[in-house]
Amino acid sequence: QVQLQESGPGLVKPSETLSLTCTVSGHSISGYSWSWVRQPPGKGLEWIGYIYYTGSTNYNPSLKSRVTMSLDTSKNQLSLKLTSVTAADTAVYYCARGHWDLNTWGQGTLVTVSS
Amino acid sequence: EIVLTQSPGTLSLSPGERATLSCRASQSVTDNSLAWYQQKPGQAPRLLISAASRRATGIPDRFSGSGSGTDFTLTISRLEPEDFVVYYCQQYSSSPRTFGQGTKVEIK
């Protein structure tokens, strides 16, 4: 059974870079696509983008200039980097399997942007 | 970008009643590329329905999805106490993928 676990700093300063890792267990990341979704406190879901196992990516245009997704197949992990963060980037960040419907999700990790 | 509008924002019903949630798209969602998710407080969303009407693994049959084009519906035939949470629709017909703003089902 595939499981996903997000990890990374819970607090990031404004203008700095948010960096998160999603560790996948129970299944190889190869052969699948993987998405990142975020949810500001008390608000709805926002799709950030997805990455294929080949490494090709598709980002939300609203974040495209600041987002980078990558894979580390040796560690069975995917990563998310978001540059130049502001308070508006405060959210729970989720990784999920798929790029159509998202059938498996991590538990999410709260990232707060504050000085 | 396809904008998804869910209605109502909040649905007040009693256990055992039928819930009908709507998701309307600003343009046609091709190939019925629409999913529904359930989100309980403090938890990640859970996939309920994909391809507009296909129940995900392990989802009870009281949950059903229907619709095509721009109008989609999630129906919960008889509400159980654990169903009083928030539901989101999501389209994967085009990029960027988008979600509706959510419908909260609350106990009347």
Side-chain angles (χ1 to χ4, degrees):
Chain A
Q1 180 180 347
V2 61
Q3 292 186 313
L4 289 72
Q5 178 69 59
E6 303 88 349
S7 60
L11 181 65
V12 180
K13 290 183 169 55
S15 79
E16 295 190 344
T17 297
L18 178 160
S19 295
L20 296 176
T21 297
C22 174
T23 300
V24 180
S25 58
H27 199 285
S28 170
I29 62 174
S30 298
Y32 280 91
S33 54
W34 305 89
S35 292
W36 288 92
V37 175
R38 70 180 183 178
Q39 185 172 35
K43 297 188 178 180
L45 302 165
E46 180 183 26
W47 176 74
I48 299 172
Y50 59 79
I51 182 167
Y52 286 112
Y53 69 95
T54 58
S56 64
T57 55
N58 188 329
Y59 301 143
N60 191 324
S62 68
L63 298 169
K64 187 174 183 178
S65 63
R66 299 193 290 131
V67 170
T68 302
M69 296 179 185
S70 60
L71 300 173
D72 186 335
T73 54
S74 67
K75 296 181 179 179
N76 223 41
Q77 292 177 334
L78 45 151
S79 68
L80 170 72
K81 292 188 187 300
L82 182 66
T83 62
S84 305
V85 298
T86 70
D89 295 311
T90 294
V92 174
Y93 286 75
Y94 297 100
C95 56
R97 187 173 72 172
H99 69 286
W100 294 314
D101 56 274
L102 304 177
N103 58 36
T104 306
W105 295 62
Q107 66 183 28
T109 187
L110 174 63
V111 179
T112 301
V113 178
S114 176
S115 55
Chain B
E1 172 175 325
I2 297 178
V3 176
L4 299 178
T5 302
Q6 292 186 240
S7 61
T10 302
L11 190 55
S12 299
L13 294 168
S14 300
E17 289 194 298
R18 180 185 188 92
T20 303
L21 287 67
S22 173
C23 178
R24 179 161 292 178
S26 60
Q27 54 189 279
S28 184
V29 175
T30 58
D31 300 321
N32 288 342
S33 300
L34 188 113
W36 289 94
Y37 301 86
Q38 177 192 66
Q39 187 176 32
K40 297 180 178 180
Q43 295 186 19
R46 176 176 71 148
L47 178 67
L48 296 176
I49 301 285
S50 63
S53 61
R54 185 174 62 213
R55 267 191 306 276
T57 303
I59 301 303
D61 61 7
R62 66 179 182 273
F63 292 93
S64 63
S66 63
S68 64
T70 60
D71 289 296
F72 298 87
T73 300
L74 174 70
T75 301
I76 311 171
S77 59
R78 289 178 57 85
L79 284 163
E80 298 286 339
E82 62 269 26
D83 300 337
F84 290 89
V85 291
V86 179
Y87 297 84
Y88 294 94
C89 58
Q90 177 233 335
Q91 65 81 22
Y92 49 94
S93 170
S94 65
S95 287
R97 311 305 196 219
T98 49
F99 292 89
Q101 81 279 19
T103 289
K104 180 180 181 179
V105 179
E106 66 175 20
I107 298 177
K108 187 174 181 179

